[in-house]
Amino acid sequence: MVVDYDLVILGGTPEGYEAAQYAAQLGARVALILQGLDGQRSPLQTQSMIWQALRPGSVDAPEPNRDAAWQWAVQRATLIADTFTRDAPPQLMMQGVDVISEQGHIVSDRPLKVATPSRQLTTRGILLATGSVRAAPTIPALAAIPYQTPEEFLRRETLPSSVAILGSDPLGLTLCQILCRWGIATTLVTPQSTLLNREDPRISQWIKAQLMAEGARLFLESNIKTITSTGEGHIDLHLPEATVTAETLVLAQPPMPHVAGMNLEERLGSPSLKVNRYLQTAHPRIYACGAVMGGYGLPAIARQEARIAVNNALFWNRQVIDYCTLPYHLPTEPAMARVGLTEPQAQKRYGASSLLVGYQPLYDMPKAHWQESTLGFCKLIAHRNGQILGGHSVGPEATEWMQALAMLMTHKIPWWEIAAFPTLPDSLMDILRQTTQQWERDRWLPGQWRRDWAENWFNWRRNA
């Protein structure tokens, strides 16, 4: 069967661009249909704004000056995003990618065909990289109340006097911390009993304590009965335990896959999008990657998913996604980073008796005191056979620690070799060595066979 393309990618998301670039590098003929998305720009602008806003010049500044500082942060984030993404489509075209700035949908299976308003494209495979959208929760009277998503809020030009955040996805928690640092009265309401319940319990406890310390009001396990407008530019959220009044409402609900209008349900036989370990959907020639599959939709994970999905779609199902060695971070201050299993996940898989858990506070690191950044820790989880199962960290360079740990896990380095690695004593990276040395010291305690063997050896040497 003759087709136009080896692969058609639906979605101008960062993972869509990554997939198109990688497919072209492999020599495939590929088309990227943007689906009304602006590719890498929007996520990059959001990330740039987070970096700017987490470090305000002065939270005690009067309101006009505060708004001016906020506007400067928005303008700088926009400039950075424009600078790094303005040449992205031309660069893809120069590599041979057919970039189509239209909306596409699947129209047939034999051959697999995608239609846009101006074209009909036949292909051997399709990769879904359309990302996610935020869906409003079912709350009485919410439809009549104006609200914003976290992404929209980070582009506004002025700051309100008070904000209520409904939901607790990672970007919502980051926005909560940002607003507290800018002196905005902030309330976060979530039906969940913990924040970031997919993360290690110590991480969840840390973010809760950090937000409360910075002045946020938290209502956990709380469901909104109804929402009303006061008529004075404010909104009342009626909770079982209190009524929260705020000038602006932000919905930070978990995003939903963006699959509307592509005729997927007819091909997949289900309204939900599920993939196997090869990132293949129920249709054998349709694959997916990134936020369209659910979860946090973090760039670090989406990028790796895109490359594996492209390989499997172009050749055959030979590469399996391994999430246990993919590091990622959550944009808080200080940063939170993770790779591998949480402690409850490791206990469920291997049993508590098979695990080693190490904890090292950042307060014990000299460089943390020199930088005046002593908040944070490193937590490592390993199997007694030497396998590193997971790492969780909070600190000014936490992303670097977890990136290094992910590389060691990929190459199956046992934890006792990390304990012996040479590191700079005045670097924060030394926290990995210090954490694993806790286990190394335990192996040499009196009564352990290594200690008994060594003592017998020294006794023989002294008496020889």
Side-chain angles (χ1 to χ4, degrees):
M1 184 191 325
V2 178
V3 295
D4 300 324
Y5 296 95
D6 299 299
L7 184 65
V8 170
I9 301 168
L10 295 176
T13 56
E15 55 266 31
Y17 273 72
E18 177 75 20
Q21 184 178 28
Y22 183 54
Q25 176 184 321
L26 295 176
R29 186 174 183 184
V30 57
L32 173 63
I33 303 177
L34 298 183
Q35 297 294 107
L37 304 172
D38 62 355
Q40 300 163 307
R41 186 187 178 284
S42 293
L44 183 58
Q45 183 176 1
T46 299
Q47 291 295 323
S48 298
M49 187 60 200
I50 288 172
W51 282 104
Q52 300 290 328
L54 277 173
R55 300 166 179 80
S58 174
V59 297
D60 298 324
E63 187 169 338
N65 292 338
R66 187 181 63 187
D67 283 341
W70 179 267
Q71 291 168 10
W72 177 87
V74 173
Q75 292 169 4
R76 189 166 188 269
T78 302
L79 177 62
I80 292 172
D82 290 341
T83 300
F84 281 97
T85 60
R86 63 172 179 262
D87 296 328
Q91 288 176 354
L92 282 182
M93 294 177 187
M94 291 174 61
Q95 297 175 43
V97 177
D98 194 356
V99 180
I100 304 172
S101 301
E102 295 179 345
Q103 297 273 356
H105 62 278
I106 304 171
V107 294
S108 70
D109 288 333
R110 295 181 179 274
L112 197 58
K113 183 183 296 184
V114 178
T116 71
S118 63
R119 297 183 59 178
Q120 299 276 332
L121 296 79
T122 57
T123 177
R124 292 288 302 170
I126 292 175
L127 176 60
L128 303 177
T130 49
S132 60
V133 293
R134 294 190 181 270
T138 55
I139 299 175
L142 179 61
I145 303 296
Y147 60 83
Q148 293 180 309
T149 65
E151 294 88 350
E152 292 170 342
F153 188 97
L154 289 171
R155 290 168 176 75
R156 61 181 293 162
E157 295 185 355
T158 59
L159 289 171
S161 59
S162 57
V163 175
I165 300 175
L166 177 56
S168 58
D169 83 323
L171 187 53
L173 297 180
T174 301
L175 179 61
C176 181
Q177 186 180 36
I178 287 173
L179 295 175
C180 289
R181 294 192 171 194
W182 282 80
I184 309 299
T186 307
T187 303
L188 187 140
V189 181
T190 177
Q192 298 177 350
S193 59
T194 59
L195 303 178
L196 299 176
N197 54 10
R198 297 183 184 182
E199 301 303 316
D200 192 84
R202 195 177 286 270
I203 292 287
S204 300
Q205 295 166 5
W206 183 88
I207 186 62
K208 177 182 177 182
Q210 183 68 19
L211 291 179
M212 293 179 66
E214 297 202 24
R217 294 177 64 196
L218 303 182
F219 290 91
L220 305 183
E221 293 186 280
S222 184
N223 291 297
I224 298 176
K225 295 181 177 180
T226 186
I227 301 178
T228 57
S229 176
T230 64
E232 301 176 355
H234 287 77
I235 300 167
D236 287 340
L237 280 67
H238 301 280
L239 312 178
E241 59 270 50
T243 297
V244 176
T245 301
E247 183 180 339
T248 300
L249 175 65
V250 175
L251 296 187
Q253 302 293 312
M256 303 293 292
H258 183 201
V259 295
M262 291 187 290
N263 296 341
L264 279 176
E265 185 173 348
E266 181 180 345
R267 269 79 204 169
L268 304 181
S270 170
S272 61
L273 182 64
K274 297 180 180 179
V275 297
N276 59 19
R277 59 179 183 162
Y278 303 107
L279 304 181
Q280 183 184 43
T281 66
H283 191 291
R285 288 188 288 154
I286 299 179
Y287 293 76
C289 67
V292 72
M293 299 192 304
Y296 291 157
L298 298 172
I301 296 177
R303 180 172 58 186
Q304 187 68 12
E305 290 172 341
R307 298 177 73 87
I308 289 178
V310 165
N311 257 305
N312 292 334
L314 292 179
F315 300 103
W316 57 87
N317 290 341
R318 56 179 183 152
Q319 293 193 7
V320 177
I321 185 74
D322 181 12
Y323 290 103
C324 288
T325 56
L326 289 182
Y328 65 82
H329 82 286
L330 303 178
T332 56
E333 176 67 26
M336 293 185 291
R338 167 189 174 178
V339 61
L341 302 177
T342 65
E343 186 175 350
Q345 290 172 338
Q347 289 177 352
K348 184 176 181 180
R349 181 175 298 186
Y350 299 102
S353 61
S354 300
L355 302 182
L356 296 171
V357 180
Y359 176 82
Q360 178 68 36
L362 200 61
Y363 190 83
D364 295 338
M365 307 293 295
K367 187 175 181 180
H369 288 271
W370 301 337
Q371 294 181 341
E372 298 182 354
S373 300
T374 57
L375 291 177
F377 61 87
C378 177
K379 178 179 179 179
L380 298 183
I381 304 162
H383 196 282
R384 292 187 181 275
N385 64 9
Q387 181 184 2
I388 307 169
L389 301 177
H392 309 268
S393 60
V394 173
E397 297 178 11
T399 54
E400 308 302 322
W401 318 335
M402 291 302 100
Q403 178 66 68
L405 186 66
M407 296 174 64
L408 296 172
M409 292 172 64
T410 301
H411 292 282
K412 303 185 185 305
I413 305 297
W415 60 259
W416 51 73
E417 290 194 17
I418 300 178
F421 276 172
T423 57
L424 293 172
D426 58 350
S427 72
L428 293 183
M429 187 70 72
D430 192 49
I431 199 169
L432 292 179
R433 184 190 62 83
Q434 291 190 20
T435 308
T436 52
Q437 275 198 337
Q438 298 173 15
W439 303 328
E440 185 67 15
R441 285 193 294 268
D442 291 344
R443 297 206 302 173
W444 289 89
L445 289 175
Q448 299 292 329
W449 70 266
R450 291 176 180 82
R451 178 64 175 265
D452 292 343
W453 179 90
E455 289 181 349
N456 291 333
W457 165 259
F458 294 135
N459 288 334
W460 178 81
R461 287 288 301 272
R462 287 193 297 268
N463 297 316

